[in-house]
Every structure is written in structure tokens, then in C-alpha cells.
Amino acid sequence: MKIKGKFIYLKKMGISDANYIYKLRRKKNISLFLHNPPKSLDAQKKWMIANIKNKKSLDFIIISKKNNKKIGTIAFNNITKKNAEWGRWISRGNIIENVEAVIVLLDFGFNYLNLVNIYSLTNKKNKKVVNFHKNTTALNKGIIKSFFLIRNQKIDAIKFAFNKTRFELFKKKFQVMTELVQ
């Protein structure tokens, strides 16, 4: 399965992506904000095998169309008939590629999966991603206390949510941004 954008495309995660994801999640500047990364490549593969079978989860690899290289990950989790959480967003592309990965995923959620609400739960200490959400049209739904356990420390999550109307506004904002850089 491929979901195409103008600058990136998303391909469904497979076991062949295990080494890439394992190395990405272990990078120090990234792992600071994530649940503890797997201790080995084998542990990463075991998690991926279980997650691929999980009907409430869809994980993707973000590929840059510029050079056809992997630049990150993004996913839906806790998928129900009407709602899903988006996350596992680690993207090392440029700003346009990073934002388009979110747009493409959310567009797929609203227009293919027919979701009504899509939310994210962001580590409160991850200022870069919190600021990203604040600059979108997502609604800030508040703080979930002690949601994450990272290196034996409880950390709050901030919940941001889109409905289809707010998503369409965000998508228009992004289109204006891409027209300015072309």
C-alpha cells in the first residue's frame, strides 16, 4: 500500500524496515521523547510482527520523492470506526516533507477510513512537536497527566485533535505554504 503526496509518499511498514526503524528510534535526540526504544533489533522485529497483525494500527514509512529515501515513520493507532490516534511520527525530512507526511496520513484517515476525529498525544517536553501542533488548526484538548513512562519518569501528554473541517483548514494552510516555496 502506497499513499502519495506531492513531495513524499507513505508505504506500509514491513519487517524489511526493522533495521531502519530500530536505528531511527535509538538516535539520542529522538529517543528522548519516545517510549523506551527496543533493546535489540530482534526486539524491534518482534514488536513489528505483533503490530502488523494488530487491526487497530497502521504504520507507514515516509519516503522522500526527491531521492526515494526513507525519511521517517508515521502511524495510526487505536483505530475505531470513527476515531484514531496518529503518532509514531519521526521525520527527518525538510519542513515541507515532514508536514506533508501528516497531511497525507490525515487525508487518508478522513477520506479513505472515513474517520470523524483524529487525535495525537504528544510528550509535553517535546517542544518542537507541541509547537507544530499549536501552529496547525487542531484543537488543544488538554493535558493527560502521567501518560508517558520514559526512562522511569512519568510525563504528561498534550492531546490535540482534528475533525474533518479543521483538517481541511490545515490542508489549505499547507498548500499556501508549498506554493510560496516553489
Side-chain angles (χ1 to χ4, degrees):
M1 171 191 297
K2 282 187 186 177
I3 308 168
K4 296 179 182 179
K6 191 173 185 179
F7 304 97
I8 60 94
Y9 65 91
L10 306 180
K11 79 164 187 78
K12 197 165 182 186
M13 175 188 78
I15 298 303
S16 62
D17 300 306
N19 191 47
Y20 172 75
I21 295 170
Y22 175 71
K23 287 179 179 177
L24 186 65
R25 288 184 52 86
R26 295 191 59 83
K27 290 187 181 294
K28 190 170 182 152
N29 61 332
I30 292 171
S31 67
L32 289 172
F33 305 112
L34 306 175
H35 292 286
N36 296 339
K39 294 188 183 337
S40 68
L41 179 57
D42 190 50
Q44 178 68 47
K45 286 179 182 176
K46 285 179 184 172
W47 179 88
M48 290 173 69
I49 289 166
N51 200 56
I52 289 168
K53 292 177 186 174
N54 181 353
K55 300 289 184 207
K56 293 184 177 188
S57 189
L58 271 173
D59 287 78
F60 297 95
I61 300 296
I62 306 166
I63 311 284
S64 173
K65 283 186 165 183
K66 172 176 52 182
N67 55 18
N68 215 36
K69 298 237 186 228
K70 296 175 185 178
I71 59 170
T73 63
I74 196 165
F76 280 130
N77 195 27
N78 299 319
I79 302 169
T80 67
K81 286 186 177 191
K82 294 184 179 184
N83 305 305
E85 174 188 350
W86 77 271
R88 296 189 193 116
W89 181 40
I90 304 170
S91 191
R92 301 179 60 88
N94 63 44
I95 186 69
I96 301 294
E97 292 168 325
N98 296 343
V99 176
E100 188 180 46
V102 174
I103 297 282
V104 169
L105 182 77
L106 296 180
D107 192 70
F108 178 77
F110 285 117
N111 295 310
Y112 182 78
L113 299 177
N114 297 313
L115 297 171
V116 175
N117 294 294
I118 301 173
Y119 64 93
S120 65
L121 300 169
T122 302
N123 179 330
K124 186 178 177 180
K125 292 183 177 186
N126 192 342
K127 300 292 184 204
K128 204 173 185 180
V129 176
V130 169
N131 286 333
F132 165 80
H133 287 296
K134 287 180 179 178
N135 286 305
T136 70
T137 55
L139 288 173
N140 182 330
K141 296 291 208 168
I143 293 176
I144 301 171
K145 294 283 186 190
S146 303
F147 181 79
F148 294 105
L149 182 61
I150 300 173
R151 285 166 204 56
N152 297 316
Q153 181 184 8
K154 291 182 179 181
I155 299 170
D156 298 345
I158 303 176
K159 184 175 184 177
F160 291 93
F162 283 101
N163 59 30
K164 192 167 183 178
T165 302
R166 288 195 166 269
F167 166 66
E168 290 298 334
L169 291 170
F170 176 50
K171 194 167 145 180
K172 283 181 186 170
K173 192 176 178 180
F174 175 73
Q175 286 169 336
V176 168
M177 184 174 94
T178 59
E179 288 168 8
L180 293 173
V181 293
Q182 289 183 355

